[in-house]
């Protein structure tokens, strides 16, 4: 049995990062993001939930039987304008059609109520994700108020759901492969993240999760075909995927200002596709290999789960600042929970840099400065190096299901 001997960061650090993170995030959203302007700035319809406008309209169009508009960029933005009077008209629906199964209930509600329920649900799942790793009091609130979680709410994404699903998979894959496979299937509504998670699971030996995940995903796809027909899937493969691939290959800067990968940082600095991919792979592959080695050696603890989630994001050529909400619950536990490890997960300076990276990506992106992807990459490398130098933990202390529980 391990007896906790120290906290990763002090109580003072907890208050500074917690309170300071909230203040900085709100300041940036109000002053830089102009959250109060829901017609001509970042937000669409309400002061929170920019991307949720896409999800809500998707649900509305599914109810109305007008799903052809999802691949009609001009028509789709006209629908958004009629609903929200949002002038920039630069939104596109980017998700596979089986996500509509989950969006229809929200599309049946008025938008303000729907975005409130969506945001509250994702914050609740972030709190529950913390409980998968730790029973320490106060940590769920710290994770819910983290800059990454607040940026998730501002951008209207579903990082809370992805965080819960991903952490459940990483901590329970060995003992509950069927449930973990179902979680992976639910994650397939964000296919690039589900794919990178699937690769990680395969490389650490949890292939049974992939089998069950494929079965469950097939079921979701089949349900979506029964509900909405084949046309949305045909449109997804013929228009949606090529459209977004073209955005990345030809690199339209406006679409990637708040992206956080090494690849997008290199492209924003003017490098070509080939050179940027070499730099990205030169960073991502060692990170992935080192993380797999640590995960296999030490098992699914808060620190290895945090590194696994960061690695799963890092091996993607493109992920956004709000995607760091997926890491927020595990990072909160790794930084702030009492630990028997002789060294903290991160010292105060790199911990602060990673904690505050999501909101600072917004002003840096508006200036087209790829600073925050580089900061995140450096902190990931520092964290990996520090954990690799830790004395090897007793396997009976780290293997098996964590003591935390998602439900009381």
């Amino acid at each position: 049995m391990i007896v906790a001997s120290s906290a990763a960061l002090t109580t003072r650090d907890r208050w500074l990062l917690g309170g300071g993170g909230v203040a900085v995030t709100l300041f940036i959203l109000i002053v830089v993001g102009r959250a109060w302007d829901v017609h001509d700035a970042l937000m669409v319809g309400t002061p929170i939930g920019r991307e949720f406008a896409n999800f809500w309209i998707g649900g509305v169009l599914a109810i109305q039987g007008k799903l052809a508009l999802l691949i009609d960029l001009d028509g789709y933005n006209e629908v958004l304008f009629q609903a929200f009077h949002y002038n920039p008209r630069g939104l596109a629906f980017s998700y596979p059609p089986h996500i509509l199964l989950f969006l229809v209930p929200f599309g049946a509600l008025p938008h303000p109520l729907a975005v409130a329920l969506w945001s509250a649900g994702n914050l609740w799942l972030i709190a529950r994700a913390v409980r998968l790793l730790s029973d320490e009091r106060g940590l769920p609130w710290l994770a819910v108020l983290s800059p990454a979680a607040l940026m998730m709410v501002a951008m209207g994404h579903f990082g809370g759901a992805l965080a819960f699903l991903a952490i459940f998979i990483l901590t329970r894959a060995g003992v509950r492969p069927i449930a973990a496979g179902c979680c992976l299937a639910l994650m397939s509504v964000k296919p690039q993240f589900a794919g990178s998670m699937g690769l990680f699971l395969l490389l650490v030996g949890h292939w049974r999760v992939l089998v069950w995940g494929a079965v469950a995903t097939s079921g979701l796809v089949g349900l979506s075909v029964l509900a909405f027909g084949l046309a949305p899937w045909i449109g997804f493969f013929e228009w949606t995927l090529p459209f977004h691939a073209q955005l990345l290959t030809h690199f339209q800067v406006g679409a990637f200002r708040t992206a956080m990968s090494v690849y997008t940082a290199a492209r924003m600095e003017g490098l070509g596709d080939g050179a940027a991919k070499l730099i990205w792979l030169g960073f991502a592959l060692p990170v992935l290999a080192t993380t797999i080695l640590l995960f296999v050696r030490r098992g699914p603890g808060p620190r290895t789960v945090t590194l696994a989630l960061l690695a799963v994001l890092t091996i993607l050529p493109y992920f956004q600042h709000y995607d760091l909400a997926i890491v927020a619950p595990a990072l909160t536990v790794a930084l702030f929970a009492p630990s028997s490890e002789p060294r903290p997960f991160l010292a105060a300076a790199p911990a602060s840099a990673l904690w505050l990276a999501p909101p600072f990506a917004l002003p840096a992106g508006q200036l087209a400065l790829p600073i925050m992807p580089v900061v995140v990459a450096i902190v990931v490398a520092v964290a990996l190096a520090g954990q690799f130098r830790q004395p090897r933990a007793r396997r009976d202390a780290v293997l098996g299901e964590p003591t935390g529980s998602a439900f009381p």
Side-chain angles (χ1 to χ4, degrees):
M1 179 180 179
I2 289 182
V3 178
S5 60
S6 64
L9 295 177
T10 66
T11 302
R12 178 176 175 272
D13 292 332
R14 181 187 298 220
W15 281 103
L16 285 175
L17 273 186
V22 171
V24 167
T25 304
L26 293 179
F27 178 82
I28 288 175
L29 285 172
I30 293 170
V31 175
V32 180
R34 295 165 57 197
W36 44 269
D37 184 351
V38 298
H39 300 296
D40 293 289
L42 186 67
M43 298 304 169
V44 184
T46 52
I48 60 171
R50 170 186 166 82
E51 290 290 328
F52 182 74
N54 275 321
F55 301 135
W56 185 75
I57 285 291
V60 169
L61 293 177
I63 293 170
Q64 295 176 348
K66 298 178 180 179
L67 290 174
L69 287 169
L70 295 179
I71 58 171
D72 176 358
L73 194 62
D74 292 334
Y76 181 74
N77 276 274
E78 181 60 28
V79 170
L80 283 164
F81 178 77
Q82 294 300 325
F84 302 113
H85 302 289
Y86 183 69
N87 295 317
R89 300 193 181 206
L91 297 177
F93 192 86
S94 309
Y95 298 89
H98 60 308
I99 196 175
L100 296 169
L101 295 168
F102 308 101
L103 300 184
V104 164
F106 292 96
L109 299 173
H111 179 260
L113 176 60
V115 74
L117 291 174
W118 176 273
S119 303
N122 274 282
L123 290 175
W124 181 78
L125 285 169
I126 280 185
R128 295 297 91 196
V130 171
R131 287 297 182 222
L132 289 170
L133 292 166
S134 173
D135 289 325
E136 182 75 12
R137 293 182 63 184
L139 292 183
W141 281 107
L142 194 56
V144 162
L145 294 174
S146 67
L150 295 178
M151 290 303 297
M152 173 199 72
V153 170
M155 301 305 295
H157 216 257
F158 51 101
L162 293 172
F164 181 87
L165 295 171
I167 293 173
F168 185 94
I169 292 169
L170 291 171
T171 56
R172 271 70 174 175
V175 293
R176 300 181 65 182
I178 297 177
C182 291
C183 289
L184 187 63
L186 291 173
M187 285 171 53
S188 67
V189 297
K190 192 175 176 70
Q192 69 274 29
F193 184 68
S196 61
M197 175 64 77
L199 175 63
F200 185 87
L201 292 170
L202 179 64
L203 294 175
V204 298
H206 291 310
W207 59 269
R208 286 183 291 273
V209 175
L210 302 184
V211 174
W212 289 109
V215 172
T217 301
S218 298
L220 286 176
V221 171
L223 283 176
S224 73
V225 172
L226 287 175
F228 311 116
L230 275 173
W233 280 103
I234 294 172
F236 177 73
F237 285 107
E238 291 185 348
W239 185 86
T240 306
L241 287 181
F243 173 76
H244 288 88
Q246 186 179 38
L247 284 179
L248 190 61
T249 301
H250 296 290
F251 204 75
Q252 298 186 16
V253 175
F256 300 100
R257 290 182 182 275
T258 55
M260 300 296 284
S261 74
V262 171
Y263 171 82
T264 53
R267 293 302 303 271
M268 287 184 72
E269 283 297 293
L271 295 182
D273 178 65
K277 283 180 178 175
L278 286 175
I279 294 173
W280 160 58
L281 290 173
F283 175 77
L285 293 180
V287 165
L288 179 62
T290 307
T291 304
I292 288 170
L293 182 59
L294 282 170
F295 197 88
V296 171
R297 282 184 176 180
R298 301 175 61 179
R303 298 183 180 194
T304 53
V305 168
T306 301
L307 290 170
L309 293 173
L310 288 168
V312 166
L313 289 174
T314 296
I315 63 176
L316 295 171
Y318 159 69
F319 67 95
Q320 280 283 4
H321 62 316
Y322 51 73
D323 289 323
L324 288 172
I326 301 168
V327 188
L331 179 63
T332 301
V333 178
L335 289 178
F336 297 110
S339 172
S340 64
E341 298 280 2
R343 302 187 186 98
F345 179 62
L346 286 168
S352 301
L354 184 57
W355 190 257
L356 296 171
F360 276 108
L362 192 59
Q366 289 197 354
L367 296 172
L369 297 174
I371 298 171
M372 301 320 299
V374 176
V375 169
V376 170
I378 292 172
V379 174
V380 169
V382 168
L384 275 171
Q387 292 307 298
F388 204 77
R389 291 196 301 267
Q390 293 273 21
R392 186 168 175 174
R394 288 171 47 198
R395 292 189 64 81
D396 62 350
V398 295
L399 292 180
E401 194 162 317
T403 58
S405 173
F407 303 97

